[in-house]
Amino acid sequence: MGQHAFFATVLALSVPGALAGADMTIGAALSRIGPAVGLALWYAYWIALRGGADRPPLPYLVGALAGWAFMAVVDPAFLPVAVAVLSPYWLRRAWWSAGGVLVLGAAWSWQSLTTDGSVDVRELTGCVLGTAVAVTITCYVATLDHESHKRQRLLDELTATQAERAAAERQAGTLAERQRLAREVHDTLTQGFASIAMLLDAARDDLPPDSPAARRVEQAMRTARDNLAESRRLVHALRPAPLDRTHLADAVRELTARLAEETGTEAYTVVTGRPVALPPSTEGELLRVVQEALTNARRHARPVSVSVTLSYLGDVLAIDIQDDGTGFAPASRHTGIGLITMRERIAALHGTFAVESTPGEGTTVAVTVPLPAEPPSSEPSAAVSGTDRMAPAS
């Protein structure tokens, strides 16, 4: 607003000076007022209405200088209008503005010389001092604006750093809470189920074989052991493989190796492409998705073979978890909390999630997430590349 007011003030003060002639006719007055009004409208369109005050467009400069040159030829009293024309450039183009002011001072002196035949010392001194003051003010204002923008950039960087720190603290708090829950489950439910299984095993030994009581104790033992296995899987899910010591592909290998060891299922991991290290939080979310998919295959599909494929495709990472189990009809089956959780995790990573399954033909969980344009400095270990097959435990 101050810039607009300055432009209007300089232009308004120049018009009376151009109309000060005693023999001014209506035509001569219109030849001076008309260009001034046109210049004002040109400024209003390009700077005030189109918002070019921060970065004035080139058409404004060309048109405004042409209008000023015409006005200066019609009447030298319009020479100071050049200062108003350059006002949008004072902050963004300080050297241009300073050069324009110097040219204006020289033009003013030349106009006095050609009109009067000589230059008065006082007028020349005033012109030089006025030009120096204008150049100094222009450079000073530009310096203040530069420092203001520099401080704003520093504030923006500080805000971004604080946001990243807050996100890291939230992530650390989430991981700490998950570890606490894992310890609680392990120290209470897991230990309790283990004790129940041991007591039932001892009670079965004291009962006659094939008696109704022995069969009921055997059923209770199976239930206790199933719940013990479930609680252990829950602990593993809450505390995923330590990604601070390994990378995603190695952690997935550990999951398939554990599945092969515990169930006898042929489970293996395949890695294609050049592995790229993702942010730890992203790798943790992907690892939990793979965990959930393997758990679903283990509990519901009864597969003979399970494979996890990690494909690094340049700009995306594709993960396919495939089993040859019983499968299901996705359209007719109620979506469980596990699938919902996996879908939400991938959506938070701006990826895609899909489940393909046919009864009797197995299930495939397909996940894609974008890879960073510039991967983090920590590179995956060389052992991650290539193909790795985990044979089932003997």
Side-chain angles (χ1 to χ4, degrees):
M1 295 301 295
Q3 175 185 303
H4 300 336
F6 176 80
F7 179 91
T9 301
V10 173
L11 187 61
L13 292 178
S14 300
V15 173
L19 298 175
D23 55 348
M24 183 68 58
T25 64
I26 296 178
L30 291 178
S31 67
R32 288 159 174 76
I33 296 175
V37 173
L39 181 60
L41 294 176
W42 187 258
Y43 176 91
Y45 174 75
W46 285 104
I47 305 301
L49 297 181
R50 298 193 56 168
D54 290 338
R55 185 173 295 178
L58 183 61
Y60 160 77
L61 179 63
V62 174
L65 289 179
W68 166 76
F70 175 79
M71 294 166 62
V73 171
V74 172
D75 195 313
F78 285 118
L79 280 173
V81 174
V83 178
V85 170
L86 293 174
S87 61
Y89 294 89
W90 282 6
L91 298 181
R92 299 291 178 258
R93 297 288 186 270
W95 292 111
W96 289 16
S97 302
V101 171
L102 292 175
V103 171
L104 175 61
W108 202 339
S109 300
W110 177 260
Q111 187 270 336
S112 298
L113 178 63
T114 56
T115 302
D116 302 334
S118 62
V119 179
D120 185 76
V121 176
R122 288 177 299 179
E123 291 183 359
L124 180 61
T125 302
C127 180
V128 172
L129 291 176
T131 301
V133 170
V135 171
T136 302
I137 293 175
T138 300
C139 295
Y140 178 71
V141 172
T143 301
L144 291 180
D145 181 74
H146 175 74
E147 293 297 326
S148 175
H149 281 76
K150 182 178 179 180
R151 286 194 296 270
Q152 185 61 46
R153 286 195 299 270
L154 293 176
L155 289 175
D156 293 340
E157 293 175 0
L158 178 61
T159 302
T161 302
Q162 290 176 342
E164 293 176 358
R165 179 179 179 182
E169 291 177 349
R170 287 194 299 270
Q171 180 68 18
T174 301
L175 294 177
E177 181 63 16
R178 294 176 68 91
Q179 292 176 356
R180 187 190 69 81
L181 290 175
R183 290 193 300 269
E184 291 293 333
V185 171
H186 178 270
D187 295 340
T188 56
L189 296 178
T190 302
Q191 298 296 338
F193 285 130
S195 299
I196 292 173
M198 293 177 60
L199 292 174
L200 290 173
D201 188 42
R204 182 189 58 181
D205 294 339
D206 296 335
L207 296 174
D210 299 329
S211 64
R215 287 194 295 270
R216 285 193 290 272
V217 169
E218 184 67 28
Q219 293 174 353
M221 283 185 59
R222 284 198 299 269
T223 302
R225 287 172 178 170
D226 290 342
N227 283 275
L228 176 61
E230 289 294 330
S231 66
R232 286 174 175 169
R233 280 195 289 270
L234 178 59
V235 170
H236 285 301
L238 289 173
R239 302 185 65 177
L243 286 171
D244 56 339
R245 299 194 304 271
T246 184
H247 292 281
L248 178 63
D250 294 327
V252 172
R253 282 192 175 98
E254 293 182 13
L255 293 180
T256 53
R258 186 185 305 131
L259 178 64
E261 179 182 355
E262 294 178 356
T263 64
T265 302
E266 181 186 5
Y268 56 89
T269 299
V270 178
V271 181
T272 62
R274 181 177 179 274
V276 175
L278 295 168
S281 59
T282 301
E283 291 194 346
E285 293 296 305
L286 292 175
L287 183 61
R288 293 187 184 100
V289 169
V290 175
Q291 279 181 325
E292 184 63 29
L294 293 178
T295 299
N296 288 342
R298 178 177 185 170
R299 295 177 58 185
H300 306 297
R302 297 189 297 276
V304 175
S305 176
V306 178
S307 66
V308 180
T309 304
L310 284 76
S311 302
Y312 293 87
L313 306 177
D315 57 346
V316 297
L317 167 61
I319 303 177
D320 297 317
I321 304 98
Q322 187 174 15
D323 67 72
D324 57 0
T326 57
F328 63 95
S332 61
R333 178 168 176 169
H334 176 68
T335 303
I337 187 63
L339 290 178
I340 295 176
T341 301
M342 287 191 288
R343 193 180 303 276
E344 291 175 348
R345 290 184 188 277
I346 298 304
L349 299 177
H350 306 289
T352 61
F353 177 85
V355 178
E356 300 176 0
S357 183
T358 302
E361 298 184 7
T363 303
T364 299
V365 176
V367 172
T368 61
V369 292
L371 291 175
E374 295 182 0
S377 58
S378 59
E379 294 292 337
S381 61
V384 176
S385 60
T387 301
D388 181 30
R389 288 182 172 268
M390 299 287 187
S394 57

